């Protein structure tokens, strides 16, 4: 016999409808989603016009997505959900380097480069050396660790945002650490930059009086056999917006000094003009759990 749909029983009725879902995790996720979504609607009591506006916003978010643009990830980022999921999935353990968001600009393959190469194909910004070691939690170096790095230009744009304006793969490189787990590469000190605002996420930021900026940073994905892969950034100490990242991704341990080096000998050694900036970043990977 059919039961009446009421405000009080609506969530349970929908959750009961999932009772025969063969995959228990899917049943758990859908049931929790419905419980929270119904609680949100009961709490805020949206008008029909407001609900239609919400559906229109999500529709526009989907319509803004294509092979080079992922507006739903951006929405998840500005709502802090990407960072929450990232943090839950990488609970710090054994002193491993902290993770942070992947972001939407790791969309093309980084070219393989030699240690010491530059990832800056434009040569307009302040020159910089980034160096460090990749180590396991117990301090053992990880020779052959792979480091995929990417960053915005000193003007605050990724190569893929300026096709024709920047060479493709500018600001990107895939490096292999040496026998001591050491790595070093040349680049420019990156700039803070706005996340894309020409879509629904920009409208949301505008409507809520929020700025769209991310503090200056360099992205890393670091992998080594037998260890958990790490997705992270280093942030430039003192960068604008370091206290108010639009995507909530700053962790204090990832803020690094980009220190001026005024030493012509060092500059010549690394084929850099003098003075240059240097950032040091030792990366600690967590061994895979053993059974
Ligand atoms: C980024 O750092 O590339 C990024 C992360 C989240 C949203 C937009 C950009
Ligand atoms: Fe970025």
């Amino acid at each position: 016999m059919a039961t009446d749909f009421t405000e009080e029983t609506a969530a349970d009725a929908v959750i009961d409808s999932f009772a025969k879902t063969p995959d228990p995790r899917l049943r758990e996720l859908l049931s929790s989603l419905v419980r929270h979504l119904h609680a949100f609607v009961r709490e805020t009591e949206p008008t029909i016009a407001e609900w239609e506006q919400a559906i229109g916003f999500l529709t526009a978010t989907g319509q803004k997505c294509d092979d080079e643009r992922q507006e739903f990830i951006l929405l998840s980022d500005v709502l802090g959900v990407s960072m929450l999921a990232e943090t839950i999935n990488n609970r710090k353990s054994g002193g491993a380097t902290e993770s942070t968001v992947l972001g939407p600009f790791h969309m093309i393959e980084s070219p393989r480069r030699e240690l010491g190469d530059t990832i800056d194909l434009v040569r307009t910004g302040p020159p910089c050396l980034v160096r460090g070691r990749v180590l396991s939690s117990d301090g053992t170096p990880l020779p052959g660790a792979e480091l995929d790095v990417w960053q915005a230009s000193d003007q605050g744009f990724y190569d893929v945002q300026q096709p024709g304006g920047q060479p493709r793969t500018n600001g990107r490189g895939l490096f292999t650490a040496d026998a001591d787990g050491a790595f070093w590469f040349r680049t420019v000190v990156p700039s803070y930059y706005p996340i894309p605002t020409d879509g629904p996420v920009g409208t949301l930021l505008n409507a809520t009086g929020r700025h769209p900026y991310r503090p200056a940073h360099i992205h890393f994905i670091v992998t080594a056999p037998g260890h958990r892969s790490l997705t992270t950034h280093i942030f430039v100490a003192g960068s604008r917006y370091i206290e108010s990242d639009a995507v909530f991704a700053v962790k204090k341990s990832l803020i690094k000094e980009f220190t001026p080096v005024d030493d012509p000998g060092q500059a010549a050694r690394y084929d850099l003009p003098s003075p240059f900036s240097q950032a040091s970043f030792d990366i600690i990977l967590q061994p895979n759990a053993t059974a």
Side-chain angles (χ1 to χ4, degrees), residues 4 7 19 22 58-59 77 96 111 125-126 142 175 180 185 212 235 239 257-258 270 278 288 291:
D4 276 345
E7 290 178 32
L58 292 175
T59 304
D77 293 339
L142 294 174
F175 295 92
D180 295 322
F185 62 89
F235 292 92
S239 169
E257 295 293 335
F258 280 58
Y270 291 107
Q278 178 170 294
N288 286 332

Side-chain angles (χ1 to χ4, degrees), residues 103-123:
F105 294 116
H106 185 251
M107 52 175 48
I108 59 173
E109 209 171 302
S110 298
R112 185 161 284 285
R113 301 194 196 278
E114 299 298 317
L115 290 172
D117 277 356
T118 185
I119 60 171
D120 164 36
L121 311 179
V122 181
R123 312 272 167 135

Side-chain angles (χ1 to χ4, degrees), residues 45-230:
E45 299 189 345
T47 63
I48 296 298
E50 285 171 336
W51 193 244
E52 283 173 359
Q53 199 180 349
I55 301 282
F57 176 82
L58 292 175
T59 304
T61 301
Q63 287 167 339
K64 193 73 188 166
C65 296
D66 59 28
D67 287 350
E68 309 238 311
R69 178 76 177 259
Q70 231 305 349
E71 195 74 359
F72 270 114
I73 294 182
L74 208 54
L75 181 59
S76 154
D77 293 339
V78 300
L79 295 180
V81 180
S82 304
M83 201 51 200
L84 179 60
E86 180 67 36
T87 304
I88 288 169
N89 279 278
N90 291 283
R91 290 191 176 113
K92 201 172 172 183
S93 123
T97 298
E98 290 191 285
S99 61
T100 190
V101 289
L102 174 66
F105 294 116
H106 185 251
M107 52 175 48
I108 59 173
E109 209 171 302
S110 298
R112 185 161 284 285
R113 301 194 196 278
E114 299 298 317
L115 290 172
D117 277 356
T118 185
I119 60 171
D120 164 36
L121 311 179
V122 181
R123 312 272 167 135
T124 52
C128 160
L129 179 71
V130 179
R131 62 187 310 174
R133 290 174 82 198
V134 186
L135 306 163
S136 187
S137 297
D138 65 359
T140 314
L142 294 174
E146 296 261 302
L147 300 104
D148 190 348
V149 301
W150 69 105
Q151 69 167 80
S153 69
D154 67 306
Q155 302 297 310
F157 294 100
Y158 286 87
D159 54 354
V160 289
Q161 292 178 290
Q162 293 188 307
Q166 284 185 47
R168 202 161 170 88
T169 76
N170 184 42
R172 298 179 194 268
L174 185 62
F175 295 92
T176 305
D178 74 6
D180 295 322
F183 68 90
W184 63 101
F185 62 89
R186 290 171 292 148
T187 183
V188 286
V189 180
S191 168
Y192 61 85
Y193 64 82
I195 63 170
T197 54
D198 59 340
V201 170
T203 308
L204 183 150
L205 292 179
N206 204 24
T208 53
R210 280 176 54 180
H211 74 69
Y213 290 96
R214 299 215 60 210
H217 57 271
I218 303 176
H219 294 260
F220 288 74
I221 296 176
V222 188
T223 54
H227 289 74
R228 292 195 61 180
S229 152
L230 173 73

